[in-house]
Every structure is written in structure tokens, then in C-alpha cells.
Amino acid sequence: MEKEQHYLIRSGWLRASILGANDGILSTASIIIGVAAASSTREPIVLAGVAGLVAGALSMAAGEYVSVSSQTDIETSDMEREKKELKETPEAELAELALIYEDRGLSPQLSQEVAKQLTAHDALGAHARDELGINSITRARPMQAALASGAAFIFGGILPVLAALFLPVEPMIYWQYGLATLFLVTLGAVAAKAGGSSIKKAVLRITFWGTIAMGVTAYIGHLFGISLG
């Protein structure tokens, strides 16, 4: 019998990748739009876009690594404490595990039997999974999250930079807004498909907030009205 595949197994890298690509598109396009609103030449627009792309990718990767590492530290600490408790008070831990199964709907007798068998098979694994909620699918992986997030930011951010390099400068704000919206719609659809969720809901959500971010940035550029070229 073929093993059933679940979308949850993709949650770690998918979350980081979508977050990175979304931030790459929005951050870079917003920077370019803000500078384009105050500039009539291509050089400062492209320079701002490239600088934002590099800084954003490094910041995203570093931030994701630190954030997920903190989660890993908590998981490790809980696992060590659980290991110590299993060694010092095995009977209390067995009763605790049985109570968990009883709360989930098993009879007291069956709960006790299940707890005994799982403890004999892998006591720490049983407590990690059923008491702490830690398993191989959802466990934090800092390096995977950092690489996925940084690479995705570059992938998303390179698109607005390429547009700034090759498209006309005068209507750059409108080009960036239109293309960024198209990129965000595509990203939302791909993310929803990979995660098995509603494509329409994902597209509307990502487009709505993307529009607000780019609109605010363009307004700030016009508000200052500083000529950069």
C-alpha cells in the first residue's frame, strides 16, 4: 500500500520560501517605486533596487536562521528535560502519557496499554510526539529555512530589478506596480497549489497587502519630492 502524502511535510521549506519570495518582490519593487517617484534617471533606481535585493536577501536569511534556531533551542531544552524525567521518574512519565491518551478518547485500560507499548518501543519519541508536539515533520530546521528564505528572496527580488534595468524610466512606477502584482498573483497561486489551500484566497490576500505596501512607498517618494537624478 502506497504511503499517503500530506501537505504538512512541506510546511517548513514552503513557509520560508513563500515568505522570502513575497518579501523579495514587495521590498525590492517598493524600493524601486519609491526611488522612481523621486528620480528621472535609471542609475539611482537600479542601484537602489540592487542594494535592496542584496541587503534584503542577507537579512532575510539571517533573520530566519536566528528565529528558527531559537525554536530549535527550545525544542532541544524540552527534549533534554523530558529525557531526564524519563530516567528519574519513569512511572510518573508513564502515567502522564497514559493520561494524554485517555484525554484523547481511549479507555483507561487501553490508554495504559498503549502507553506501556510505546514507552517500551521509544519512550522519548512517544513523549516528544504526544506530550511536546515535536516530530520529524514539523521539527525546526534553521539552515534549511535560512537557505530557502534567502534564495527565495533573491528569486523574487531579481524580477523588479530586471524590470528596472530594461523598461522605460518615465513610467517605471506603473511598470513596477503592474509586474509586481502579476508576480504576487503567480506566487500566491503556486503557494496555494503546493500547500493544498484555496488559490483564490491566497491570491487575494497577497495582492491586497502588496498593493498597500507599494502604494504607501510611492506616496512617500512623491511626498518628499527629492530629485535624485
Side-chain angles (χ1 to χ4, degrees):
M1 182 177 177
E2 187 177 348
K3 187 177 180 180
E4 184 180 0
Q5 295 296 318
H6 295 282
Y7 292 112
L8 185 62
I9 198 171
R10 305 174 181 174
S11 62
W13 64 264
L14 182 61
R15 181 192 65 83
S17 298
I18 297 305
L19 177 64
N22 179 72
D23 202 20
I25 294 170
L26 271 181
S27 298
T28 311
S30 295
I31 289 172
I32 291 173
I33 287 173
V35 176
S39 176
S40 58
T41 58
R42 187 181 304 277
E43 287 76 11
I45 298 173
V46 174
L47 180 61
V50 172
L53 175 64
V54 174
L58 293 175
S59 176
M60 178 66 71
E64 192 72 18
Y65 182 82
V66 171
S67 175
V68 179
S69 291
S70 297
Q71 181 183 342
T72 302
D73 291 342
I74 294 172
E75 290 178 353
T76 302
S77 176
D78 279 343
M79 291 288 283
E80 287 300 319
R81 184 165 56 251
E82 198 64 37
K83 189 184 297 185
K84 181 180 178 182
E85 290 173 354
L86 282 168
K87 183 178 181 180
E88 295 177 351
T89 56
E91 292 301 323
E93 290 300 299
L94 178 63
E96 185 178 25
L97 195 60
L99 186 59
I100 290 173
Y101 300 139
E102 189 174 339
D103 288 340
R104 292 179 182 177
L106 298 182
S107 66
Q109 295 79 9
L110 184 56
S111 297
Q112 188 71 22
E113 183 61 30
V114 170
K116 285 181 179 179
Q117 292 195 27
L118 288 178
T119 297
H121 175 69
D122 181 6
L124 184 60
H127 281 271
R129 180 180 61 253
D130 296 321
E131 182 182 348
L132 303 177
I134 300 173
N135 57 62
S136 59
I137 295 176
T138 59
R139 191 160 192 175
R141 294 176 176 83
M143 188 57 67
Q144 181 193 63
L147 292 175
S149 186
F153 188 100
I154 293 174
F155 175 77
I158 198 69
L159 301 174
V161 171
L162 291 174
L165 273 170
F166 298 110
L167 295 176
V169 174
E170 189 174 342
M172 181 62 67
I173 293 175
Y174 306 105
W175 275 114
Q176 287 290 334
Y177 174 75
L179 289 174
T181 301
L182 177 62
F183 299 150
L184 288 172
V185 167
T186 304
L187 178 64
V190 170
K193 183 69 174 177
S197 58
S198 168
I199 293 179
K200 181 180 179 180
K201 185 184 293 185
V203 167
L204 287 175
R205 180 173 57 231
I206 203 169
T207 305
F208 174 76
W209 290 109
T211 299
I212 290 178
M214 290 183 287
V216 169
T217 309
Y219 175 73
I220 291 173
H222 281 295
L223 189 64
F224 279 94
I226 302 172
S227 177
L228 300 177

